[in-house]
Amino acid sequence: MEDDTIVKMGYAIQNYLEKSGIKSAKPAELMDPLIELGFFDKDHRKGLPLRNVLRNLNDSNKLYLLPQVQKELKTQNIWWSFEPLKF
């Protein structure tokens, strides 16, 4: 996924979190709105497409493109969540 598309996805995530009043969302919870907006074709394995994007961003040190993302390192996995930015 291109950097500019990821930035647009960040704006969409922020908008969704603000409008819905959600304080923290897991990738699976964001898949339906992101599919509706055309960022993904379908969801499988409860948010795997978004988690794959997050892994790729993490590996290339580009998580800053999605400033809403929070990561918590576990022994074998990373737990991802999204929190709305406060301005």
Side-chain angles (χ1 to χ4, degrees):
M1 194 174 279
E2 299 291 325
D3 288 357
D4 61 334
T5 304
I6 292 170
V7 170
K8 290 176 186 173
M9 184 172 22
Y11 281 107
I13 290 170
Q14 179 71 20
N15 188 40
Y16 175 75
L17 293 172
E18 286 177 353
K19 283 187 176 180
S20 63
I22 295 174
K23 303 244 188 265
S24 181
K26 297 188 182 323
E29 297 171 88
L30 296 174
M31 285 304 297
D32 285 341
L34 293 176
I35 290 169
E36 287 175 18
L37 293 170
F39 289 103
F40 299 103
D41 293 330
K42 62 181 179 176
D43 184 17
H44 57 282
R45 298 194 58 205
K46 298 181 182 177
L48 182 62
L50 181 54
R51 291 194 312 270
N52 285 338
V53 168
L54 295 172
R55 283 187 200 108
N56 290 337
L57 290 175
N58 190 48
D59 291 344
S60 60
N61 292 319
K62 291 186 174 184
L63 277 177
Y64 62 87
L65 294 173
L66 287 174
Q68 300 86 356
V69 74
Q70 306 292 315
K71 72 176 187 175
E72 184 179 341
L73 298 173
K74 299 290 184 177
T75 52
Q76 294 182 355
N77 296 317
I78 298 175
W79 288 70
W80 302 102
S81 63
F82 292 84
E83 297 175 3
L85 299 176
K86 295 171 178 67
F87 298 99

